[in-house]
Amino acid sequence: MNQALVSYFEKTENHSRVSEMSLKDLKSLVRQGESIQLEFKMKANHPEKIIREIVAFANTKGGTLLIGVGDDKSIPGLKFVDEDEYILVRAIERNCFPPIAYDIERISVTDDREVLVITIPKSNKKPHYVQLETEEMGKAYVRVADRSVQASKEMKQILRRENEEGIQFNFGEKEKVLMTYLSANPQITLAEFAKIANIPLWLASRTLVLLVLANVLKIQAHETADYYSVA
């Protein structure tokens, strides 16, 4: 570890602690494979990719991130775990907003290698964003199955207002067209709704957001377009 990192850890407490999870428990968890609440990363040398997963967990159902575990479920661990932890903590605290609650633990896998276990609870301050120095605007992410995808404008509005009470909407002609379509089809996209209802995209967007918030519809994020279906 270079001298700057040594000085950092001499002057401040580590964020992590020794996990109560045993190596046996870790192996059992890894065997489950990646899911909506579990992600594996082999290394921490690309923290910008890791903090996307952290933001996605906070914006969705929460989750656990294992650093030092491969996609093939191998568990090589991290050799320079202090340095990796420093890199990750710095990225989380510099590039995630609003601040995200998280917990870091360590599990020894050999005498000189450890796995970092980062636990992220579901947040009540959504949406959270990743703001990189190379980008003009922050990006929000959500978890879909075992992947993290960028949140759409509609998804960000829903995340921001999901705990709002007293959501009201008028069941007019466009809503009737929408529900008639969904009675015969499993799902619809924003663009498809705007087309069949013959309304502008902004109005279709507002309508879908309100119907999701009112628990009439549910939204499924996707990399290309969100899908809406009957709740």
Side-chain angles (χ1 to χ4, degrees):
M1 186 183 298
N2 64 41
Q3 188 59 45
L5 293 181
V6 170
S7 297
Y8 174 87
F9 281 103
E10 286 176 346
K11 294 177 181 178
T12 64
E13 295 182 0
N14 283 7
H15 286 71
S16 65
R17 64 177 185 273
V18 176
S19 176
E20 295 181 0
M21 186 187 304
S22 67
L23 181 56
K24 181 180 179 181
D25 292 335
L26 175 64
K27 290 179 178 179
S28 178
L29 180 62
V30 170
R31 280 197 296 270
Q32 296 177 20
E34 293 178 313
S35 66
I36 193 170
Q37 291 184 282
L38 184 62
E39 175 74 18
F40 306 152
K41 293 295 182 185
M42 183 74 82
K43 300 178 180 179
N45 55 346
H46 293 291
E48 70 280 359
K49 296 181 179 179
I50 294 176
I51 58 177
R52 291 175 186 172
E53 312 290 354
I54 291 171
V55 162
F57 281 138
N59 281 336
T60 312
K61 296 182 177 181
T64 301
L65 186 58
L66 302 178
I67 314 296
V69 176
D71 290 338
D72 60 356
K73 301 181 183 180
S74 62
I75 312 178
L78 303 168
K79 187 173 181 63
F80 303 106
V81 69
D82 283 349
E83 184 171 347
D84 287 323
E85 180 186 332
Y86 170 75
I87 290 170
L88 289 174
V89 168
R90 184 176 62 174
I92 294 169
E93 297 185 352
R94 285 187 176 183
N95 302 114
C96 298
F97 71 94
I100 291 177
Y102 63 95
D103 185 65
I104 303 182
E105 299 176 321
R106 301 183 184 201
I107 300 176
S108 295
V109 294
T110 66
D111 288 343
D112 64 346
R113 287 183 176 270
E114 296 175 282
V115 167
L116 284 176
V117 181
I118 306 178
T119 304
I120 305 98
K122 178 181 178 180
S123 177
N124 59 4
K125 296 181 180 179
K126 305 174 188 177
H128 293 273
Y129 296 82
V130 174
Q131 176 68 70
L132 300 178
E133 289 80 0
T134 56
E135 298 174 344
E136 292 184 4
M137 297 182 62
K139 296 179 180 178
Y141 295 86
V142 292
R143 193 78 175 163
V144 180
D146 60 352
R147 297 175 298 111
S148 296
V149 302
Q150 189 172 339
S152 65
K153 178 182 70 175
E154 290 73 30
M155 178 62 81
K156 287 184 286 188
Q157 289 184 42
I158 291 165
L159 291 173
R160 186 179 299 112
R161 300 178 60 189
E162 65 180 5
N163 295 320
E164 190 175 316
E165 297 181 356
I167 299 295
Q168 297 181 347
F169 65 93
N170 294 320
F171 194 86
E173 186 60 32
K174 63 183 182 302
E175 287 82 8
K176 181 179 178 181
V177 169
L178 173 63
M179 299 311 291
T180 299
Y181 180 91
L182 288 175
S183 69
N185 299 275
Q187 59 192 23
I188 193 170
T189 66
L190 168 64
E192 289 169 343
F193 174 42
K195 182 177 180 180
I196 65 170
N198 193 29
I199 57 176
L201 280 174
W202 69 265
L203 182 55
S205 172
R206 187 176 71 178
T207 302
L208 290 171
V209 167
L210 286 174
L211 290 173
V212 171
L213 292 171
N215 295 316
V216 175
L217 299 180
K218 57 184 178 182
I219 183 173
Q220 177 64 52
H222 194 271
E223 291 178 344
T224 55
D226 294 337
Y227 292 97
Y228 298 84
S229 58
V230 178

